[in-house]
Amino acid sequence: MSAWLPTAPCTPQDCSGHHGPTAGLPAAVGRLLAGTALVLAGALLTPLVAPLGAAVRDRLTRRWARTVLRAFGLRVRVVGRPEPRRGTGVLVVANHISWLDIPLVAAVLPGRMLAKSEIRRWPVLGALAARGGTLFVERERLRALPGTVRTLSAALTAGSRVVVFPEGCTWCGRDQGRFTPAVFQAALDAGAAVRPVRITYRAADGRFSGAPSFVGDDTMPASLWRVVAAGGLTAEITVLPLIPAGTHTDRRALARAARAALGLPESPVAQSAVTEGATTRTAVTGSATTRTAFTGTAFTGTAVAQTAVASDSANRPASSVHQCVSSIPASASSARTPS
C-alpha cells in the first residue's frame, strides 16, 4: 500500500452515532430498495443522457440526485444560491463525509467527478462511467502526478465543472482533514475559479448526525442500513462564494483559502491525521479497506451512480483525459487515493 495516501482517524464506533428518531423495519427496507433501484436506473440511463445539452443534463441530474437522497430517507437543504453554468471551467471542492456526498453535490452542482482507475476496468460499469464523463485517478502512481494534473487542467480548460474532495479521504464531519494542493494546481493552470461547498448531515433536532459517516473499517452494507434506519436526517449543502481565478497564484495558498472558506480551520487532529495504522475510506468502492475520496462512485453494485452525476460530458476534452491525482505523505497502512 502506498505511503502517500491520506488517512483519517475516524472510526464507525467513535463517529457514526445517531441521536434521534429511527425508522421502523418496513420503512427502512423500503428506503433501501427504492434508493438502490434509483441508483441502478441512473447508471443504466447515463448513456441516454450523455448526448443531451448541458442544461438538460444538469436539470435531469439534479432531479435524479435529489430523488435518490429522498428515497434513502434524507431531506435536502441548500444554503446559498449556486450560479448557473457559466461556460467556463469551475473546480468544485467539498469536505468529504460519506458516499451520500456524491448525489448531494450533484443535486446542486452536477459535474464530472474523479474516480479510481480500477473502475474503468469493471465490466459494463466501467464503460458506462467513462461514457458519462468520469475522470479516472491512478491512486498509487506518483509518477503519473504531473500528467494527471494536466488532465484535470485540460478538463477545466474545456469548460467542465469538475467535483473533487481534496481531503483525500472521508472524515466523520466533526473534524476534517487538510486540503491537499495538487488539484488546485490544475485550477491555477487552467485559470479556473474554485467553488467551495460545505457538506453537513443533521438529525431531526438540527444537531450533527454521524449516521451517514462512512469511515474507518465501516462496510457498505452497514453504512447503507445505518442511513435508511435513521429518522429525520437532513443533508445540508452550503454553496459558498467563488474564489476567482487569479486570486491566489500558489496552489497551497489556494487550498488553504478554499478550506478556510468552508469554515474548516487547521486543527491538531487534521494535521496529525497521518497516523500509523489508521484505516481509510473511499467515496465508495464496496471494500472495507480501500476507501478513496476520488472514487466518484456512489456504492457497491451501483458504482456508476456517479456517472449520472458526471453530466458534463458534452464539454469534456479529448478521450485521452481520464484521470487526475495529487499526493501528500501518509501512513503506509493507508488505502487512500493520492491527493
Side-chain angles (χ1 to χ4, degrees):
M1 201 64 67
S2 173
W4 289 83
L5 299 176
T7 64
C10 306
T11 67
Q13 295 77 18
D14 295 332
C15 302
S16 298
H18 173 71
H19 303 286
T22 58
L25 180 61
V29 171
R31 289 174 177 178
L32 183 61
L33 294 175
T36 302
L38 283 166
V39 171
L40 286 170
L44 294 173
L45 292 174
T46 293
L48 301 178
V49 174
L52 302 178
V56 176
R57 289 197 314 275
D58 278 6
R59 184 165 59 252
L60 292 175
T61 299
R62 285 194 295 266
R63 289 178 179 176
W64 170 84
R66 283 177 177 264
T67 304
V68 167
L69 290 165
R70 289 168 181 163
F72 279 118
L74 290 91
R75 296 183 179 89
V76 178
R77 179 171 184 257
V78 180
V79 180
R81 295 185 61 184
E83 298 174 2
R85 194 180 292 273
R86 305 183 308 163
T88 57
V90 176
L91 184 69
V92 178
V93 298
N95 59 308
H96 199 22
I97 299 172
S98 173
W99 50 270
L100 289 165
D101 300 348
I102 295 162
L104 179 57
V105 174
V108 180
L109 295 168
R112 302 180 66 182
M113 292 197 180
L114 304 184
K116 62 174 187 171
S117 58
E118 293 90 330
I119 290 172
R120 198 177 180 201
R121 297 191 290 271
W122 289 3
V124 182
L125 296 181
L128 288 173
R131 190 169 180 179
T134 304
L135 296 170
F136 294 98
V137 179
E138 292 188 58
R139 298 178 299 167
E140 298 185 11
R141 290 191 58 216
L142 292 180
R143 292 181 182 179
L145 177 59
T148 51
V149 170
R150 286 194 296 270
T151 290
L152 182 56
S153 177
L156 292 167
T157 300
S160 293
R161 179 190 288 148
V162 179
V163 181
V164 300
F165 300 101
E167 288 170 298
C169 62
T170 50
W171 289 64
C172 68
R174 291 186 177 90
D175 211 328
Q176 296 82 23
R178 63 186 291 268
F179 278 11
T180 51
V183 293
F184 294 94
Q185 183 62 50
L188 293 176
D189 293 345
V194 174
R195 170 76 73 182
V197 297
R198 182 172 60 245
I199 293 171
T200 309
Y201 295 97
R202 301 189 184 279
D205 61 3
R207 294 186 298 174
F208 168 86
S209 173
S213 301
F214 189 49
V215 294
D217 60 356
D218 205 359
T219 64
M220 196 64 219
S223 178
L224 279 165
W225 186 253
R226 195 167 55 243
V227 168
V228 298
L233 286 178
T234 296
E236 180 181 286
I237 181 167
T238 302
V239 181
L240 297 157
L242 279 173
I243 301 175
T247 304
H248 300 276
T249 57
D250 175 79
R251 64 184 182 181
R252 291 176 176 82
L254 182 55
R256 288 193 297 268
R259 193 178 189 280
L262 268 64
L264 308 178
E266 292 293 338
S267 69
V269 173
Q271 293 173 348
S272 64
V274 184
T275 54
E276 190 68 29
T279 52
T280 57
R281 174 64 64 191
T282 69
V284 182
T285 64
S287 164
T289 57
T290 54
R291 313 287 186 198
T292 303
F294 296 132
T295 57
T297 58
F299 38 89
T300 308
T302 57
V304 291
Q306 109 72 19
T307 61
V309 173
S311 61
D312 215 0
S313 56
N315 289 326
R316 71 178 177 230
S319 58
S320 61
V321 176
H322 299 304
Q323 58 192 334
C324 177
V325 69
S326 56
S327 68
I328 62 169
S331 164
S333 65
S334 172
R336 298 292 184 167
T337 297
S339 55

